[in-house]
């Protein structure tokens, strides 16, 4: 630990969708994963779409650590298909 215990310069964040947890006293960590709310909007492949959760994650990380944040991965699970011109008209992701 002495060798790797150093201050960090920035924080990398991967975010795709929120996760849900519930109290679970029998679990060693005191929680268990919970189901996504049934009325939550979802992408064509079933991932929850919640851009506000991404924003909240970034704001929480900024408030907590005060470091520059780099989004190293993010996305919305979709089923992209090429159009006749070879492009992708990705209206859901743009929205």
């Amino acid at each position: 630990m002495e060798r790797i215990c150093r201050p960090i310069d920035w924080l990398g964040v991967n975010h795709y969708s929120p996760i849900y947890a519930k109290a679970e006293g029998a679990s060693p960590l005191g929680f268990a994963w919970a189901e996504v709310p049934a009325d939550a909007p979802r992408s064509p492949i079933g991932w929850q779409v919640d851009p506000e959760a991404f924003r909240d994650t970034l704001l929480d990380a900024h408030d907590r650590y005060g470091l520059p944040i780099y989004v190293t991965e993010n996305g919305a699970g979709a089923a992209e298909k090429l159009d006749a011109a070879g492009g992708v008209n990705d209206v859901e992701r743009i929205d």
Side-chain angles (χ1 to χ4, degrees), residues 10-16 54 69-74:
W10 53 274
L11 182 67
V13 174
N14 296 0
H15 189 279
Y16 291 94
F54 187 26
I69 299 171
Y70 293 90
V71 176
T72 50
E73 290 186 20
N74 75 312

Side-chain angles (χ1 to χ4, degrees), residues 15-54:
H15 189 279
Y16 291 94
S17 64
I19 57 170
Y20 295 85
K22 61 183 176 183
E24 180 63 58
S27 168
L29 297 175
F31 75 94
W33 301 123
E35 295 296 318
V36 174
D39 62 343
R42 296 178 182 262
S43 73
I45 65 168
W47 291 8
Q48 182 182 359
V49 176
D50 189 349
E52 290 81 14
F54 187 26

